[in-house]
Amino acid sequence: MGKHIVSFLRSFKFKTTYWFQLLHDAAFLGIILGFFTWFGRALENRSINLFQGNTPEQIQQLLLTAPEQVAPLVGNLRIFLVILVVGVIGLLLMTYLLYVLSRLGIWNKLVHNKWSYKPFGKWLILHLALIFPLLGIGLIYLILKILLGLIIQAVFTANSLWYFAHQDGITIALSSINGMISLFLSLFVLAYLFHVYRDFVQRKKVWESIGKGFSVFRNVKVLFSTVGFATLIAIIITLIFFPIQKVLFTSPGLLSFLQIAMVLLYISWVRQYFFITHGHN
């Protein structure tokens, strides 16, 4: 146990590598959010010009009374739909490419590899191949989440009189516990994914690294202690952030920014902590 605590304490040394991870995650998220926001506003403006201020009900009425006035809108609507489909596909493709590129940069930095674009193609293949094991892991995650949720709900509602007398408090408690369960199980998924990345950045072999990722589940004691400490930190952050949410309730923009910043800081720390704990096992 002392070894786990040492690794846990080491993870709070925020050196250049940590800030490098954080910068890459923030840049990726900022660029993607910026492009999606721009595209959404562009579509909104184009739809206003397309329908010329008419509501869908008014256009439907025009179709019945004066279809010749609606004819020009049909051609414009087709162009709008083409722009919508092509734009969404383009944004999704850009998101995928930027995500893979940012993972390449982060994990090269973690293992102190020199930066190179050459493995980018293999990283693209890796993430496509990861769809299959992640679907299986996701199914297990969903089953466990449902089962644990049902068990906890059954425990809290076993005494119906007590449940109805404290319904509001129990609802909040159930929501909080379900949130912790979701985080706890999600950290196991991240542990697998980080293990795959750590192996792949060194060996560059897609299927071998995907298989190697499952070895993280062999050392149950180390994995559960890592996930447990990471969950504990998340709970502490949530408790600290709770009064801040109440204060900034009237400033949703600032609150959203702080929430995103906390998530990015936490994910970068979790990645660093998992790398320290499992990187040499």
Side-chain angles (χ1 to χ4, degrees):
M1 191 65 184
K3 198 175 178 182
H4 304 322
I5 294 174
V6 170
S7 297
F8 176 67
L9 294 175
R10 279 182 60 203
S11 69
F12 289 100
K13 293 181 179 179
F14 301 120
K15 297 182 180 180
T16 307
T17 306
Y18 173 82
W19 300 111
F20 183 89
Q21 295 178 66
L22 181 62
L23 179 63
H24 271 62
D25 284 333
F28 162 72
L29 188 62
I31 291 170
I32 295 305
L33 286 177
F35 271 102
F36 270 93
T37 302
W38 167 80
F39 184 66
R41 289 178 179 173
L43 284 179
E44 185 180 359
N45 293 332
R46 192 168 185 86
S47 66
I48 292 172
N49 294 330
L50 173 65
F51 296 113
Q52 299 172 356
N54 293 314
T55 63
E57 291 77 14
Q58 290 172 326
I59 293 173
Q60 188 176 9
Q61 187 64 31
L62 285 172
L63 281 170
L64 298 173
T65 57
E68 68 280 355
Q69 295 182 24
V70 186
L73 291 177
V74 175
N76 292 334
L77 183 59
R78 289 174 182 169
I79 296 172
F80 178 81
L81 290 174
V82 170
I83 293 173
L84 174 62
V85 172
V86 172
V88 169
I89 292 173
L91 283 173
L92 291 176
L93 181 60
M94 184 183 70
T95 300
Y96 176 63
L97 293 174
L98 283 177
Y99 175 79
V100 174
L101 185 63
S102 63
R103 300 315 96 180
L104 170 61
I106 286 172
W107 285 91
N108 270 326
K109 185 68 174 179
L110 281 170
V111 299
H112 305 292
N113 282 353
K114 289 184 179 180
W115 170 254
S116 173
Y117 287 100
K118 291 181 181 179
F120 184 60
K122 288 186 176 182
W123 277 84
L124 291 173
I125 296 170
L126 172 70
H127 284 84
L128 290 175
L130 274 169
I131 292 173
F132 302 104
L134 287 178
L135 282 174
I137 293 172
L139 180 60
I140 296 171
Y141 166 91
L142 187 61
I143 292 170
L144 287 174
K145 188 176 184 305
I146 292 172
L147 287 175
L148 290 171
L150 290 173
I151 291 169
I152 290 169
Q153 188 170 11
V155 170
F156 274 90
T157 58
N159 187 326
S160 56
L161 292 176
W162 181 78
Y163 171 74
F164 285 111
H166 306 86
Q167 192 169 2
D168 291 340
I170 291 172
T171 301
I172 295 171
L174 284 173
S175 178
S176 300
I177 293 171
N178 284 326
M180 284 188 286
I181 290 172
S182 297
L183 174 66
F184 186 74
L185 295 175
S186 297
L187 288 169
F188 283 97
V189 180
L190 282 179
Y192 168 75
L193 196 58
F194 291 161
H195 213 62
V196 172
Y197 287 157
R198 198 268 306 172
D199 186 81
F200 183 74
V201 76
Q202 295 173 325
R203 295 203 291 177
K204 310 291 190 301
K205 294 182 178 180
V206 174
W207 293 111
E208 287 186 21
S209 296
I210 287 174
K212 183 72 173 177
F214 289 102
S215 65
V216 76
F217 299 111
R218 290 178 187 170
N219 197 334
V220 177
K221 186 177 179 181
V222 174
L223 181 60
F224 267 85
S225 66
T226 309
V227 170
F229 279 128
T231 304
L232 177 63
I233 292 299
I235 293 170
I236 292 171
I237 292 171
T238 303
L239 292 174
I240 293 172
F241 202 73
F242 185 73
I244 298 175
Q245 286 181 304
K246 286 190 172 183
V247 172
L248 297 178
F249 182 76
T250 55
S251 304
L254 179 59
L255 181 59
S256 297
F257 173 79
L258 289 176
Q259 287 173 334
I260 292 172
M262 289 303 300
V263 170
L264 290 175
L265 287 164
Y266 177 72
I267 289 176
S268 295
W269 171 79
V270 167
R271 189 189 294 116
Q272 177 167 282
Y273 177 39
F274 277 47
F275 181 77
I276 291 171
T277 307
H278 299 277
H280 302 291
N281 289 338

